[in-house]
Amino acid sequence: MELPTQTYRVTRADLVRYAGASGDFNPIHWSDRTATKVGLPGVIAHGMFTMALVGRALTTWAGAPDAVVDFNVRFTRPVVVPDTDEGTEVVVSAVVKEVTEDGLTRLDITATCLGEKVLSQARALLRTAR
Amino acid sequence: MSLDPSFVGRTYPPTAPYQVGREKIREFATAVGATDPAHHDPAAARALGHPDVVAPPTFPVIVTMAAGQQIVEDPALGVDYSRVVHGDQRFAYTRPVVAGDELVCVNTIEEVTNRGGHGFLTTRTDVSTVAGEPVVAVWSKIVVRGEA
């Protein structure tokens, strides 16, 4: 079963807000100068911000904010966030792989930016909503 | 500079307790756009059986990243943080983090490899309450990008 696709816009302002809230002030998430110096195409979103967006998709699909039991991702491609009003978009979809006897749902997740996968091996185990 | 593989298997002393605040959960939830009332309103969280507001699924990274400073700032390991990008991340929950938790982290280095000029470091952090109740186990792999 395929779950409804979730689309999230990401701008530089989101990265600044996330840096403040998370305490991750790595300059590759706000300084083009630093990002390009270490060989990145530009300022990139925190991997953990992308994962948090996927977390939003998970809790939305589960219909419960506390449903996530296990959640893992591999960050394969950076989400480059241009310094524009539009920023970029992360699109999250998933398929249900299995519903276990004890009421857990196993998902395989896909997250893309500009049509390219930004995560691999993205999986979650959710408790079925009460 | 490559990472020292002899660090594999090292477990660090438990970190000082991290006090999970209600406003911190609200701030984090707002930053990631998590609007479910249970992240913001204690009454909504209590209706789900939690003592206070519930953290979004990736919130524990705040606690484990702070705790991970004892690794990335270990001069003997030699991590240049401005060259760090995130490789993998996993959370395995016993229960969600809620406001009022006092959390202690125990870091273990699970894997250190050097490949193609980049260093790869995998850590496991066991997060539990000060009373010893397990809350979440967190795995992180970071990549220290080599000089171009």
Side-chain angles (χ1 to χ4, degrees):
Chain A
M1 186 182 78
E2 201 152 327
L3 296 167
T5 297
Q6 310 289 318
T7 300
Y8 303 108
R9 182 161 299 285
V10 181
T11 66
R12 288 282 175 95
D14 293 314
L15 303 190
V16 171
R17 198 175 294 114
Y18 185 79
S22 70
D24 184 346
F25 294 101
N26 190 331
I28 62 173
H29 304 305
W30 49 267
S31 163
D32 284 293
R33 186 167 48 88
T34 305
T36 52
K37 199 170 83 187
V38 300
L40 295 166
V43 161
I44 64 170
H46 302 72
M48 287 310 304
F49 183 72
T50 305
M51 191 175 187
L53 296 178
V54 176
R56 268 173 73 182
L58 296 177
T59 54
T60 300
W61 287 323
D66 55 355
V68 181
V69 175
D70 202 310
F71 182 16
N72 66 276
V73 305
R74 169 164 296 174
F75 305 103
T76 44
R77 189 186 293 273
V79 173
V80 180
V81 182
D83 187 12
T84 61
D85 289 344
E86 297 75 31
T88 191
E89 263 182 6
V90 173
V91 179
V92 185
S93 59
V95 290
V96 175
K97 298 303 280 184
E98 184 192 4
V99 178
T100 67
E101 279 176 15
D102 43 356
L104 298 176
T105 302
R106 191 177 298 281
L107 301 182
D108 275 4
I109 302 151
T110 304
T112 61
C113 179
L114 302 173
E116 303 210 78
K117 280 190 188 182
V118 293
L119 302 178
S120 65
Q121 300 180 29
R123 296 186 191 95
L125 197 56
L126 305 181
R127 207 173 284 115
T128 307
R130 282 161 283 202
Chain B
M1 177 177 167
S2 60
L3 302 176
D4 182 352
S6 74
F7 276 70
V8 173
R10 184 175 301 205
T11 293
Y12 287 75
T15 56
Y18 179 101
Q19 176 78 47
V20 179
R22 185 187 290 164
E23 299 305 341
K24 190 68 191 175
I25 287 181
R26 286 172 168 159
E27 179 194 21
F28 184 85
T30 300
V32 303
T35 55
D36 191 289
H39 301 309
H40 301 273
D41 175 6
R46 280 195 290 271
L48 295 174
H50 300 291
D52 206 319
V53 294
V54 180
T58 61
F59 179 90
V61 76
I62 293 180
V63 184
T64 59
M65 222 186 68
Q69 295 303 307
Q70 71 180 178
I71 299 174
V72 296
E73 289 179 359
D74 186 336
L77 187 60
V79 173
D80 174 356
Y81 189 63
S82 75
R83 308 193 73 83
V84 164
V85 293
H86 207 152
D88 295 45
Q89 184 71 29
R90 178 181 174 207
F91 301 93
Y93 293 91
T94 306
R95 65 157 172 85
V97 170
V98 295
D101 278 340
E102 277 194 82
L103 300 176
V104 173
C105 296
V106 175
N107 287 311
T108 302
I109 296 186
E110 287 205 336
E111 194 179 16
V112 175
T113 55
N114 293 287
R115 219 170 45 241
H118 306 305
F120 299 82
L121 172 70
T122 302
T123 55
R124 174 197 167 112
T125 308
D126 291 294
V127 182
S128 55
T129 66
V130 286
E133 176 209 352
V135 177
V136 58
V138 180
W139 288 262
S140 271
K141 179 185 270 187
I142 61 169
V143 184
V144 185
R145 297 168 63 89
E147 308 281 340

